[in-house]
Amino acid sequence: MNEQSVGIRIEDLHLSFGDTKVLTGIDMEIRAGEFFAFLGPSGSGKSTLLRAIAGFGPAPRGRILIGGRDVAGLPPWKRDVGMVFQSYALWPHLSVRRNVAFGLEERRVPRRQIGPKVEAALDLVGLLPLADRMPSQLSGGQQQRVALARTVAIEPKVLLLDEPLSNLDAGLRVQTRRELLALQRKLGLTTIFVTHDQEEANTTSDRMAVLDAGVIQQIGTPQALYDRPVNRFVARFLGTANILQGEGTREGFRLPGGATLALTAPPGPRDIVLRPQAIRIGPVEPASRDRLPGVVRHREFLGSQVRYFVDAADTQLVVDTLHIATRPMLEPGAAVSLAVDPEAVVVLEESGGRAPI
């Protein structure tokens, strides 16, 4: 970790645009040197939260501490943060070198220091040979790296990335996110990455916060959030999820239709989550605990997987199986049994709204 890295603490943050609440009760901590993601659908408040940390937009209520210093009321250039925007915001009439130098010139860095800082930043992102080109002569990925170099050149303590890969095509996006993560690890900068793409968040972040309607739903590692979501929104937003309503009883978890899973759950109505790969599909067998009779209604061939849609337990369940060329696929209308591993079942703490973090 970079010795200059700092942590970020956000305390009871609220922000509204007029009468519209955009962020509500944000409480969280980002560790020094961490690659942290804000993940959520459009309109969830993730970019607004990032901009509040940067100092853009209306002032929120609450506290934002960067390295222990409350930055409320400070302009962006006094917060020791650098931000890369979705549009890259490069000056089209300036060369790559001049674009990277721009932030340093605005900060009145002595001219004798600007040249070496610019070259070091461009070398870091692999663009030093293209320093004298114009932005229009670069690919989308190269323009994104110029924006990164411009931000890195001012030596911020926190790097803020607002959907920086969204303008790239799929193949280049994968390559660039790997380069971005490698750069962050090399610099050791505390980094916050905003995205609506769960694959981007899963493959880059140490931890992430899932937002919906301006509220943090859950914070944790990508694996923890996928394996142990705390509410319906997180379960459905992070991958495909079967969510079943039932009731906790002394005998186990009773599902609609009368089947019971050998699952410990608090008494009363509850929701459970079953991931598609946690259900095994096979020939019809006698009904028993943790085994549900069903009928295949539809299937989708996904290359490495076959996805089945099966009517069972008074609902339709999604079941994923590994595709093996020598194994015949099940046909729609086939009667099957679904085996459920109780260890893979998640009992939701609540069915919606704000979750513990």
Side-chain angles (χ1 to χ4, degrees):
M1 184 180 71
N2 189 324
E3 293 181 359
Q4 300 300 315
S5 294
V6 296
I8 300 170
R9 175 70 196 168
I10 301 173
E11 299 176 351
D12 195 27
L13 194 76
H14 297 257
L15 193 149
S16 298
F17 295 150
D19 295 331
T20 303
K21 292 183 178 180
V22 182
L23 298 173
T24 304
I26 304 294
D27 276 293
M28 62 183 301
E29 186 169 355
I30 298 169
R31 301 162 189 154
E34 189 170 31
F35 198 120
F36 197 97
F38 292 162
L39 179 66
S42 297
S44 62
K46 56 190 185 297
S47 288
T48 302
L49 179 55
L50 191 79
R51 294 175 71 86
I53 294 170
F56 297 115
R61 289 191 293 111
R63 297 214 305 164
I64 300 174
L65 294 95
I66 299 178
R69 180 178 64 140
D70 191 347
V71 298
L74 292 180
W77 57 89
K78 290 189 177 181
R79 296 191 179 204
D80 287 328
V81 303
M83 189 161 178
V84 177
F85 297 92
Q86 181 177 347
S87 64
Y88 311 147
L90 301 179
W91 296 104
H93 62 288
L94 298 181
S95 67
V96 167
R97 188 187 305 275
R98 290 293 310 283
N99 264 284
V100 176
F102 182 80
L104 296 168
E105 293 168 350
E106 287 293 299
R107 285 164 172 76
R108 302 291 193 271
V109 173
R111 185 166 298 279
R112 67 180 181 280
Q113 297 179 19
I114 291 179
K117 287 179 181 290
V118 168
E119 295 210 353
L122 286 173
D123 187 48
L124 191 65
V125 299
L127 289 180
L128 189 54
L130 307 182
D132 296 317
R133 288 194 184 182
M134 305 301 285
S136 61
Q137 297 174 302
L138 304 178
S139 67
Q142 289 168 336
Q143 290 183 39
Q144 192 259 10
R145 282 189 277 161
V146 173
L148 270 173
R150 181 180 57 193
T151 302
V152 169
I154 65 173
E155 299 177 349
K157 292 182 178 178
V158 176
L159 181 60
L160 307 177
L161 307 170
D162 190 5
E163 304 224 35
L165 310 182
S166 60
N167 291 332
L168 305 179
D169 62 51
L172 187 55
R173 197 156 57 236
V174 171
Q175 173 189 336
T176 307
R177 78 183 182 217
R178 290 174 182 164
E179 294 173 351
L180 179 62
L181 181 59
L183 177 63
Q184 190 271 342
R185 295 303 192 225
K186 184 174 183 178
L187 294 173
L189 275 177
T190 305
T191 299
I192 305 176
F193 179 63
V194 163
T195 180
H196 64 275
D197 187 321
Q198 59 179 279
E199 182 176 306
E200 287 182 358
N202 285 340
T203 54
T204 57
S205 62
D206 299 307
R207 290 188 306 144
M208 59 188 180
V210 177
L211 286 87
D212 181 45
V215 176
I216 292 179
Q217 301 295 314
Q218 192 174 356
I219 293 176
T221 65
Q223 182 179 346
L225 268 57
Y226 181 85
D227 290 340
R228 290 291 179 264
V230 293
N231 61 34
R232 281 174 168 258
F233 178 82
V234 176
R236 284 179 168 154
F237 191 74
L238 298 178
T240 303
N242 297 298
I243 300 179
L244 301 178
Q245 295 179 314
E247 184 176 2
T249 69
R250 290 184 177 180
E251 292 75 30
F253 190 81
R254 184 179 297 122
L255 294 169
T260 300
L261 300 180
L263 178 68
T264 301
R270 282 277 162 175
D271 293 344
I272 63 171
V273 176
L274 277 172
R275 294 293 184 185
Q277 68 274 19
I279 305 172
R280 297 190 309 278
I281 188 169
V284 174
E285 295 185 21
S288 63
R289 286 160 66 89
D290 309 326
R291 192 175 297 278
L292 308 174
V295 176
V296 175
R297 291 304 179 198
H298 178 64
R299 77 175 183 216
E300 295 178 349
F301 177 62
L302 304 178
S304 61
Q305 291 181 321
V306 180
R307 173 163 291 179
Y308 295 102
F309 298 82
V310 181
D311 287 346
D314 285 356
T315 188
Q316 190 168 90
L317 301 180
V318 180
V319 182
D320 287 346
T321 65
L322 185 67
H323 168 60
I324 299 175
T326 56
R327 181 188 298 168
M329 290 187 284
L330 297 169
E331 297 294 333
V336 295
S337 282
L338 303 180
V340 178
D341 179 2
E343 295 295 322
V345 177
V346 178
V347 180
L348 294 182
E349 298 177 19
E350 52 180 276
S351 58
R354 189 173 184 179
I357 60 177

